[in-house]
């Protein structure tokens, strides 16, 4: 806590400076505000078209407006900032001419509140961007002055005047003068005709176009200008020109697109017709009706023929096996047991039954007759005829099946010939159909886009919308008086505090006990406060004498040397009053004065003056013998020493002392003196050195310091 108070002491002392600097800062800020040109800001908000959102009634146009795309907001901002759009906007506004009423400290632009009207024509571009002076001397006469030319050209209102490649026509604004009763006409004016480059540069410098949010399609157009009406006019006109440019661009694009699409549709129609004819010619040439259906029919037919062929093959193989079996057992036909599954003729079945019956009859006859009997032979012949017929029938059946099988094979072969060249046909048809489909899609797409483009062409509307019109601002955005005054006051406080501490640390005085303890190991005997009343001086030094006695600094026959570093007068107050306090205690004190400042202050019997130059030749031994010879009749000796900076006899008397009191003034002694004294003590082995802090805790007002300096200056002037 004490450390914080110690650091704040310079601030408390310099508080009047802080108050004074703050007052001056506020006054300067107000003076600045009186002469600075205020800037006004107007804002217009523009909502961009979004094809993905909107009321149902607007969806028809949004969906069909192929030219309104969801552009990035940053792209639209760059469009708004483009020189073309800003140039087109400025061409619609009366910003190319600026008329100022000239004051002593600043000029104010009049715009539409000008009592004079100026028109100009220029033979060369060099006449632009020049500030011409105009001094109206009466309601009929004026003086026109060129830039950087002291003399002017006299002119009359309503008559053209030529000057340096330019011709001006200056008249009174009668309509404005009639509306204003006390308008001041006779005055000093300035006017300037701006080139397009300079005008755009002025606008771009104060123009700010930003998005409300990166995900919200709303753009904010801001312009700062010294004339409030100009700011509002420009932002509104820029938003209007942006929408107008969008509509015109959309119409031009739609019109161009319609013409382009019509030409493309004609070309696409011709290609589509040619493709249709190519398909027709190819089908007629290859006799193709429907490749898919024909292929399916032929495949089905071949499949059926192959099924029949397979069945026929099975029957043919079975009849061949039957024929081989019968042929191998032809002599034992009746003993064979053939499988007639492949030979299912009804006549054959009856013949087999007849043969079996004849075989049975033969067996019956053989019971009665011999094999050579006629009846038996007749039955044998009948059986043989039937067997031969049966065998022949089987052979004929085999031949018939073979013929049918061969016919089926031939039919299959013929049917399969249909598929020869089919991949090529399909490939060519696919190519022709693909080409046709491509031209057909292109034709349909172009027709759809033509309809959409014609709708977009006829709908001269835009879905960009001005959602907030720029109003004429009433209050300026810069400078902001409150903020400037507060900032000025704050800077004044900060600067004054910084100055106080810079001066404080630059002076680097002892200031307090902490500074002594921080820089030296020499102990502090006592601290003397700043005493304002004379009656308190003795009481204070009596207390200090008691402190010295308690610290065993005062002993019988002691020699106490009181010194300072810079000037001997810096410790005169302590030497004088400490001696008086010791005498008041009833002590007999021998006073040794090395400076002569105490002469006449005390009794001459107790006073030794060593300030004369002859004593410079004395040695330490001589001084010590003289002082000790006198000290026999005294309790102690107090030496009022010279300053160490003079260094004539100062160190010598300190070496004689039993106790050395080194007085440091908190307001005068430099901090670096503490280290110097410490070094001298170590170098010369000075005995029992103690620091005494004078004016401890004294923190005078800066005005008191200034007053003291002023009084000293006056006294010096009087002496001179």
């Amino acid at each position: 806590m004490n450390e914080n108070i110690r650091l704040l002491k310079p601030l408390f002392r310099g508080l009047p400076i802080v108050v004074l600097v703050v007052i001056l800062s506020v006054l300067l800020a107000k003076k600045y505000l009186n002469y600075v040109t205020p800037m006004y800001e107007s804002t217009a908000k523009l909502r961009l078209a979004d094809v993905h959102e909107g009321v149902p009634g607007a969806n028809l146009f949004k969906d069909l407006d192929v030219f309104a795309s969801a552009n990035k907001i940053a792209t639209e901002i760059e469009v708004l900032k483009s020189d073309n759009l800003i140039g087109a906007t400025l061409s619609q506004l009366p910003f190319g001419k600026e008329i100022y009423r000239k004051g002593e400290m600043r000029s104010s632009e009049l715009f539409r509140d000008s009592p004079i009207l100026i028109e100009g024509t220029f033979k060369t571009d060099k006449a632009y961007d020049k500030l011409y002076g105009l001094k109206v001397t009466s309601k009929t006469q004026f003086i026109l002055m060129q830039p950087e030319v002291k003399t002017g050209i006299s002119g009359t209102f309503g008559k053209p005047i030529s000057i340096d490649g330019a011709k001006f026509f200056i008249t009174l604004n009668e309509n404005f003068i009639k509306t204003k009763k006390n308008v001041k006409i006779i005055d000093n004016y300035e006017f300037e005709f701006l080139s397009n480059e300079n005008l755009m540069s002025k606008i771009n410098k104060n123009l700010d176009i930003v998005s409300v949010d990166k995900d919200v399609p709303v753009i904010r157009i801001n312009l700062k200008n010294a004339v409030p009406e100009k700011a509002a006019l420009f932002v509104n006109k820029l938003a209007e020109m942006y929408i107008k440019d969008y509509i015109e661009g959309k119409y031009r694009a739609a019109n161009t697109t319609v013409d382009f699409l019509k030409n493309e549709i004609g070309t696409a129609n011709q290609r589509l017709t040619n493709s249709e004819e190519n398909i027709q010619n190819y089908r007629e040439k290859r006799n193709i009706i429907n490749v898919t259906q024909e292929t399916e029919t032929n495949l089905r037919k071949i499949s059926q023929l192959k099924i029949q062929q397979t069945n026929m093959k099975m029957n043919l193989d079975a009849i061949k096996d039957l024929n081989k079996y019968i042929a191998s057992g032809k002599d034992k036909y009746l003993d064979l047991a053939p499988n007639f599954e492949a030979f299912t003729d009804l006549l054959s079945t009856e013949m087999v039954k007849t043969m079996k019956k004849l075989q049975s009859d033969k067996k019956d006859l053989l019971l009665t007759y011999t094999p050579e009997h006629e009846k038996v032979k007749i039955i044998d012949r009948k059986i043989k005829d039937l067997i031969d017929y049966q065998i022949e029938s089987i052979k004929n059946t085999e031949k018939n099946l073979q013929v049918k099988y061969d016919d089926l094979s031939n039919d299959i072969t013929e049917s399969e010939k249909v598929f020869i060249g089919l991949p090529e046909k399909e490939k060519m048809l696919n190519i022709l159909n693909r080409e046709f489909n491509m031209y057909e899609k292109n034709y349909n797409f172009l027709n759809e886009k033509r309809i959409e483009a014609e709708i977009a062409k006829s709908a001269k509307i835009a879905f960009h919308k001005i959602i907030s019109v720029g109003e004429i601002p009433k209050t300026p955005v810069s400078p902001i008086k409150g903020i400037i005054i507060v900032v000025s006051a704050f800077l004044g406080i900060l600067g004054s505090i910084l100055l106080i501490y810079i001066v404080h640390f630059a002076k680097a005085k002892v200031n307090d006990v902490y500074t002594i303890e921080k820089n030296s190991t020499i102990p502090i005997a006592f601290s003397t406060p700043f005493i304002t009343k004379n009656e308190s001086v003795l009481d204070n030094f009596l207390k200090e004498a008691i402190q010295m006695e308690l610290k065993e600094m005062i002993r019988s026959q002691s020699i106490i040397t009181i010194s300072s570093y810079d000037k001997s007068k810096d410790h005169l107050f302590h030497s004088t009053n400490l001696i008086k306090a010791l005498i008041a205690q009833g002590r007999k004190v021998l006073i040794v004065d090395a400076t002569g400042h105490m002469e006449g202050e005390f009794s001459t019997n107790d006073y030794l003056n060593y300030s004369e130059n002859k004593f410079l030749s004395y040695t330490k031994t001589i001084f010590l013998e003289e002082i000790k010879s006198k000290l026999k009749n005294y309790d102690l000796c107090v030496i009022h020493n010279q300053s160490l900076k003079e260094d004539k006899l100062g160190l010598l008397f300190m070496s004689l002392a039993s106790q050395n009191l080194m007085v440091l003034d908190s307001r005068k002694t430099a901090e670096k003196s503490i280290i110097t004294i410490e070094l001298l003590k170590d170098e010369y082995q000075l005995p029992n050195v103690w620091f005494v802090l004078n004016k401890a805790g004294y923190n005078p007002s800066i005005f008191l310091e200034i007053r003291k300096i002023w009084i000293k200056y006056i006294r010096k002037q009087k002496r001179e």
Side-chain angles (χ1 to χ4, degrees):
M1 186 65 181
N2 292 333
E3 174 65 13
N4 294 333
I5 293 173
R6 189 185 72 82
L7 290 174
L8 290 175
K9 278 185 178 180
L11 178 60
F12 294 149
R13 181 169 177 266
L15 198 59
I17 292 180
V18 175
V19 174
L20 182 62
V21 171
V22 169
I23 293 172
L24 291 174
S25 299
V26 172
L27 292 176
L28 287 173
K30 288 184 176 180
K31 198 70 175 176
Y32 164 77
L33 291 171
N34 289 334
Y35 293 109
V36 71
T37 301
M39 297 295 287
Y40 298 83
E41 184 179 54
S42 184
T43 301
K45 290 183 180 179
L46 187 66
R47 185 188 184 279
L48 301 179
D50 190 348
V51 297
H52 301 296
E53 297 178 2
V55 296
N59 283 339
L60 171 64
F61 298 102
K62 286 190 175 185
D63 293 339
L64 295 179
D65 188 359
V66 295
F67 309 104
S69 59
N71 292 323
K72 293 182 179 178
I73 298 173
T75 304
E76 297 304 316
I77 290 175
E78 292 303 318
V79 173
L80 282 163
K81 289 181 179 179
S82 64
D83 290 345
N84 290 337
L85 192 60
I86 292 176
T89 303
L90 290 173
S91 66
Q92 302 291 319
L93 296 172
F95 289 1
K97 173 182 61 186
E98 293 180 352
I99 302 175
Y100 299 90
R101 189 184 293 275
K102 187 178 180 181
E104 293 182 1
M105 296 298 295
R106 70 170 184 176
S107 299
S108 302
E109 187 176 353
L110 300 175
F111 194 46
R112 291 181 178 173
D113 295 334
S114 174
I116 57 174
L117 298 175
I118 304 173
E119 300 295 332
T121 56
F122 304 94
K123 296 179 181 179
T124 173
D125 292 340
K126 293 181 179 179
Y128 285 101
D129 302 326
K130 287 186 177 181
L131 195 62
Y132 294 90
L134 182 68
K135 184 177 182 180
V136 178
T137 56
S138 68
K139 291 187 177 181
T140 57
Q141 300 293 321
F142 61 84
I143 299 174
L144 181 63
M145 288 169 286
Q146 290 181 275
E148 300 178 356
V149 178
K150 294 182 179 180
T151 58
I153 302 173
S154 298
T156 304
F157 287 115
K159 292 183 179 180
I161 182 170
S162 298
I163 182 171
D164 194 21
K167 181 182 287 186
F168 299 110
F169 184 72
I170 305 173
T171 58
L172 292 176
N173 190 352
E174 298 293 347
N175 294 330
F176 175 73
I177 294 172
K178 288 178 182 178
T179 57
K180 302 289 183 180
K181 293 182 179 180
N182 299 320
V183 63
K184 186 179 180 181
I185 301 174
I186 300 173
D187 205 346
N188 291 324
Y189 300 87
E190 290 179 333
F191 66 91
E192 181 180 9
F193 283 83
L194 303 174
S195 63
N196 292 333
E197 294 79 9
N198 191 14
L199 181 57
M200 289 184 68
S201 176
K202 278 190 172 184
I203 293 296
N204 286 327
K205 184 171 65 176
N206 296 311
L207 180 64
D208 185 26
I209 302 174
V210 295
S211 62
V212 174
D213 189 86
K214 63 178 182 179
D215 298 323
V216 178
V218 175
I219 294 175
R220 186 168 56 232
I221 306 171
N222 306 316
L223 180 69
K224 292 179 182 178
N225 199 283
V227 181
E229 189 179 355
K230 273 189 172 184
L233 281 173
F234 182 82
V235 296
N236 292 330
K237 181 59 71 173
L238 181 61
E240 179 186 333
M241 292 299 294
Y242 173 75
I243 295 174
K244 183 179 178 182
D245 180 72
Y246 170 80
I247 294 173
E248 291 178 353
K250 186 187 75 169
Y251 178 78
R252 288 194 300 269
N255 194 31
T256 303
T257 304
V258 168
D259 295 338
F260 170 76
L261 290 174
K262 285 181 179 179
N263 295 330
E264 288 297 312
I265 287 171
T267 304
N269 185 39
Q270 184 60 44
R271 290 175 179 174
L272 186 61
T273 302
N274 294 338
S275 179
E276 290 173 344
E277 291 177 355
N278 291 337
I279 293 173
Q280 180 182 353
N281 294 334
Y282 185 77
R283 287 181 177 275
E284 289 176 354
K285 181 179 179 181
R286 294 299 185 97
N287 296 321
I288 299 172
I289 299 174
N290 190 317
V291 174
T292 303
Q293 290 182 359
E294 290 177 358
T295 302
E296 289 179 356
T297 302
N298 290 328
L299 286 173
R300 194 179 295 111
K301 177 181 177 182
I302 291 171
S303 178
Q304 291 174 355
L305 289 173
K306 286 189 175 181
I307 291 170
Q308 293 177 13
Q309 185 188 36
T310 301
N311 293 332
M312 191 63 68
K313 177 66 173 174
M314 291 170 62
N315 292 333
L316 181 60
D317 290 340
I319 202 68
K320 284 182 177 180
D321 290 339
L322 178 62
N323 192 21
K324 289 179 180 178
Y325 179 71
I326 292 174
S328 62
K330 184 176 180 181
D331 296 336
K332 301 177 181 179
Y333 184 81
L334 294 176
D335 295 334
L336 298 176
N339 181 10
F340 287 99
E341 184 178 355
F343 187 69
T344 57
D345 185 72
L346 292 175
L347 178 59
S348 298
T349 303
E350 291 298 326
M351 289 175 63
V352 170
K353 290 180 180 179
T354 303
M355 282 189 287
K356 288 297 183 181
K357 184 177 180 305
L358 290 172
Q359 187 179 16
S360 178
D361 291 343
K362 179 180 178 181
K363 287 180 180 180
D364 291 339
L365 288 174
L366 287 175
L367 293 174
T368 307
Y369 304 104
T370 63
E372 299 297 330
H373 191 274
E374 187 65 25
K375 289 183 179 181
V376 175
K377 289 182 178 180
I378 290 171
I379 289 173
D380 287 337
R381 284 196 295 272
K382 288 180 179 180
I383 290 171
K384 183 177 181 305
D385 291 339
L386 289 172
I387 290 170
D388 292 339
Y389 183 82
Q390 184 76 24
I391 291 171
E392 189 65 27
S393 177
I394 290 171
K395 288 181 179 180
N396 290 334
T397 300
E398 180 183 353
K399 291 179 181 179
N400 186 33
L401 290 174
Q402 184 67 47
V403 171
K404 289 181 179 181
Y405 178 79
D406 293 340
D407 290 341
L408 286 172
S409 298
N410 293 331
D411 291 341
I412 290 171
T413 302
E414 289 297 325
S415 298
E416 288 177 344
K417 289 180 180 180
V418 176
F419 295 101
I420 297 173
L422 181 61
E424 183 183 356
K425 291 180 183 178
E426 289 183 340
K427 176 183 176 182
M428 288 303 300
L429 278 176
N430 286 336
I431 292 172
L432 294 172
N433 287 328
R434 183 169 61 248
E435 187 181 57
F436 173 80
N437 291 332
M438 181 180 67
Y439 290 144
E440 185 180 33
K441 287 180 180 179
N442 184 39
Y443 179 78
N444 293 335
F445 173 79
L446 291 172
N447 272 293
E448 289 175 3
K449 295 305 171 185
R450 180 181 61 83
I451 295 171
E452 292 174 2
E454 287 179 347
I455 293 173
K457 177 182 175 182
S458 60
K460 294 183 179 180
I461 58 175
F463 295 99
H464 299 312
K465 184 180 180 181
I466 301 173
I467 59 175
S468 179
V469 178
E471 301 290 341
I472 298 176
K474 304 297 182 183
T475 56
V477 293
S478 67
I480 302 174
K481 292 184 178 180
I483 292 178
I484 287 180
I485 291 173
V486 170
V487 170
S488 298
F490 175 75
L491 292 176
I493 293 171
L494 190 64
S496 59
I497 292 174
L498 187 63
L499 179 63
I500 288 168
Y501 278 98
I502 288 173
V503 172
H504 173 73
F505 289 112
K507 288 170 65 177
K509 301 302 180 183
V510 172
N511 295 317
D512 49 30
V513 172
Y514 175 80
T515 306
I516 299 172
E517 293 175 343
K518 182 180 70 172
N519 291 282
S520 176
T521 59
I522 298 174
I524 299 172
F526 52 85
S527 298
T528 305
F530 182 73
I531 304 170
T532 57
K533 297 180 180 179
N534 291 332
E535 58 268 21
S536 301
V537 175
L538 183 59
D539 293 339
N540 181 78
F541 278 93
L542 284 171
K543 291 178 184 178
E544 293 177 356
I546 293 170
Q547 291 178 21
M548 292 175 65
E549 187 175 4
L550 293 174
K551 293 179 181 180
E552 297 183 352
M553 296 171 63
I554 300 176
R555 294 181 181 180
S556 178
Q557 305 292 306
S558 295
I559 300 174
I560 300 173
T561 302
I562 302 174
S563 310
S564 62
Y565 183 77
D566 294 308
K567 297 178 181 179
S568 55
K569 287 185 179 181
D570 290 345
H571 61 278
L572 177 62
F573 177 77
H574 274 73
S575 298
T576 303
N577 289 288
L578 185 58
I579 292 170
K580 289 179 179 180
L582 292 170
I583 293 172
Q585 287 180 332
R587 303 177 192 273
K588 196 173 182 182
V589 181
L590 176 63
I591 303 164
V592 177
D593 186 2
T595 63
H597 294 154
M598 299 175 68
E599 187 173 2
E601 188 75 26
F602 299 99
S603 172
T604 55
N605 295 327
D606 303 328
Y607 179 77
L608 295 176
N609 189 347
Y610 289 141
S611 62
E612 296 180 8
N613 291 332
K614 64 179 183 178
F615 295 106
L616 294 175
S617 61
Y618 277 32
T619 63
K620 177 181 177 182
T621 305
I622 295 173
F623 278 118
L624 188 59
E625 288 176 354
E626 283 192 7
I627 292 172
K628 283 192 174 182
S629 64
K630 292 278 186 179
L631 189 58
K632 292 177 181 179
N633 299 319
Y634 294 89
D635 294 327
L636 72 157
C637 174
V638 176
I639 301 174
H640 176 62
N641 199 10
Q642 298 174 356
S643 66
L644 297 185
K645 201 170 185 181
E646 295 174 359
D647 196 22
K648 292 179 180 178
L649 297 173
L651 291 172
L652 187 146
F653 283 117
M654 287 184 73
S655 65
L656 296 176
S658 304
Q659 302 290 334
N660 280 293
L661 296 181
M662 182 62 62
V663 178
L664 304 176
D665 192 294
S666 64
R667 305 306 311 164
K668 295 179 179 179
T669 307
E671 184 179 346
K672 62 183 179 180
S673 301
I674 299 172
I675 300 173
T676 305
I677 294 168
E678 177 94 17
L679 295 173
L680 290 173
K681 174 205 167 190
D682 294 337
E683 183 178 355
Y684 295 104
Q685 299 295 312
L686 301 176
N688 300 322
V689 179
W690 297 78
F691 279 130
V692 175
L693 180 62
N694 187 28
K695 300 178 185 176
Y698 180 50
N699 195 35
S701 170
I702 190 68
F703 290 115
L704 290 176
E705 295 291 318
I706 294 172
R707 182 172 174 271
K708 288 180 180 179
I709 294 171
W710 177 253
I711 290 171
K712 287 182 180 179
Y713 175 76
I714 295 297
R715 288 176 179 174
K716 184 179 179 182
Q717 292 295 321
K718 286 181 179 180
R719 285 196 301 268
E720 292 177 355

